[in-house]
Amino acid sequence: MSARTLHALGVADFRERTRRTAYLVTLSAAVGLAYLALPPATSLFVILDAGGYRGLYNSAYSGTATALAGALWLMLGGFYVVRGSITRDRDTGVGQILAATPLSRIGYLLGKFWSNLLVLTSMAGVLAIAALALQLVRQEVATVDPVALVMPFLLFTLPVLALTAAAALLVETIPILRGGIGNIGWFFVWLFFGIGGQGLFLGDGVLGVSMREAMAAQGLPDGAEFSLGFTEVGRPLGVFVWEGLEPSSPLVTGQLVMVAVAVVLAVSPSIWFGRFDPSRASAAPPRVNRSEPPPVPVAARSWRPVYRRMTGFRRRFAVGRLLAGEIRVLVQGISPWWWLVAAGVNAAVVAVPSGLVNGRDAVTATLIVAWIWPVLIWSRLGTQRRENGVETLMGGYPGVHRQLMAEWAAGVVFTAAVAIGPLARMMITSDGAGVVAWFAGAVFIPSLALMLGVLSRSHRPFQVVYTLLWYCAANQVAATDYMGVVLVDGSPVGPSPWLVAAAAGGMFLVAVGARALRHLIR
């Protein structure tokens, strides 16, 4: 297969993605990321902090700061944007059509890799344009050097995006990673390589050394600790002049090796990927439930409808049955081993002696574990009907709000059940503040899941957003503490539980409004 054919395959897939509204949203997010990377001089929120200093906003520093921000955050967000291309081909039948063509497995994977890389590169291109615009808006240096502005994107952003594009392709071809486990697992991969790998360029890396030399030449402290992420500083950053980095041969070679590794990673699934060939699918016969009675002949069935007038008692009982049904739908298919782990976590916090560990610390640790374990189950809220293909059937259901409320209530009951141990321990120790925060978290989590599920109609946004939120709360970021685990002197210091509950109510109303609007315009 020629390179021209592969390019055409990748470009066709890229164009299909760019026609979606979500693509415009991701480009808008790239512009916002550039704004955060080059904030106003008085801003206290920064992405790149060189020990309390930043570079003058010339082309070299503007390009480098936005390129590093793009490498870090597009590695996380871009992965979730581009993954799903193989699944989409499988669901739409395009894959089966391609299976009937001479297209090879390696050719198909290279085309998808190229498409993923084009999407991510277009986001990096928007970042570069935004960096140019912000340099002109900040008016610290009026002269524009296009080479100095673009070079950091080629050196530091594109190799990372190539690895991200290949990883998104790889997880789609491994069945166990194809679903929510792959989404959550990538977050921790990003933590390890994205944040942990900053030292390759900053710190003692080439960029850190170059900036320290510039700071030392200007009489500034040269022992600064660099940070790349999104942090709040106590005072606006000081300014030093940095004219950019001269790319060395080892640096360029190292980045080219990263791109080569990405290509190898992208085509490696050709060993096991069947390219939608049904002859390589499992030939196991369908399971037969022998406990089911034999089918009744049509002629022997009675089709006479039976109408019963619903009394007040039956109407109240129907609400209970609706809630019970939603709970059954939510927890269907959960392995007994999953329940065993959840029960063990809850039993541990009740059984641990008070004298062995601090009781509140035990509750906090257990609650953190208990409310990340069901993340894949929560992500079903608001999405199951569409993903199971019964949305059209449910469209005729007259009580949209009632059904959605029952689904939300099922989520609340499930959330409370998986963390009943910490609640019992706090009630035993008369921890009133902790109990109130627990209840706020129990309504916040399913509300967030339901809103994101209804709006996006996909599991993925909740799995990503909630994992990030949980990680921040578990790492003692008070502003994100929705479950009362950030403590000072034994009391929660995060947002007020009433504020968390109000946010949960707002998210539920958004879900109701979105579902009602969709029901009206269908």
Side-chain angles (χ1 to χ4, degrees), residues 71-96:
L72 178 65
W73 289 108
L74 292 185
M75 180 183 177
L76 177 64
F79 173 85
Y80 300 107
V81 171
V82 299
R83 73 162 298 188
S85 59
I86 295 179
T87 302
R88 186 167 52 253
D89 282 353
R90 181 184 294 107
D91 294 342
T92 58
V94 173
Q96 287 75 2

Side-chain angles (χ1 to χ4, degrees), residues 151-218:
M151 185 65 70
F153 287 91
L154 300 177
L155 285 176
F156 304 114
T157 308
L158 284 185
V160 175
L161 297 185
L163 288 173
T164 304
L169 202 58
L170 181 64
V171 299
E172 280 197 88
T173 60
I174 302 175
I176 194 173
L177 299 178
R178 194 175 296 159
I181 294 178
N183 292 334
I184 298 171
W186 181 253
F187 175 78
F188 292 99
V189 170
W190 173 75
L191 283 179
F192 184 79
F193 289 101
I195 295 180
Q198 294 178 13
L200 294 175
F201 305 119
L202 298 173
D204 295 329
V206 290
L207 283 174
V209 171
S210 176
M211 289 186 183
R212 281 198 182 92
E213 290 176 352
M215 294 172 70
Q218 297 165 50

Side-chain angles (χ1 to χ4, degrees), residues 232-284:
E232 182 180 7
V233 295
R235 61 176 179 80
L237 299 181
V239 178
F240 67 98
V241 179
W242 183 66
E243 298 296 345
L245 178 71
E246 289 294 332
S248 61
S249 296
L251 175 62
V252 175
T253 302
Q255 303 306 88
L256 290 176
V257 169
M258 287 180 63
V259 175
V261 170
V263 174
V264 172
L265 196 64
V267 300
S268 60
S270 63
I271 300 173
W272 63 84
F273 179 54
R275 198 177 64 94
F276 315 107
D277 184 354
S279 64
R280 299 187 59 170
S282 173

Side-chain angles (χ1 to χ4, degrees), residues 310 313-325 402 406:
M310 181 174 284
F313 169 78
R314 287 187 177 276
R315 190 175 294 114
R316 289 194 299 273
F317 188 69
V319 173
R321 286 193 297 176
L322 180 60
L323 174 60
R402 190 187 311 166

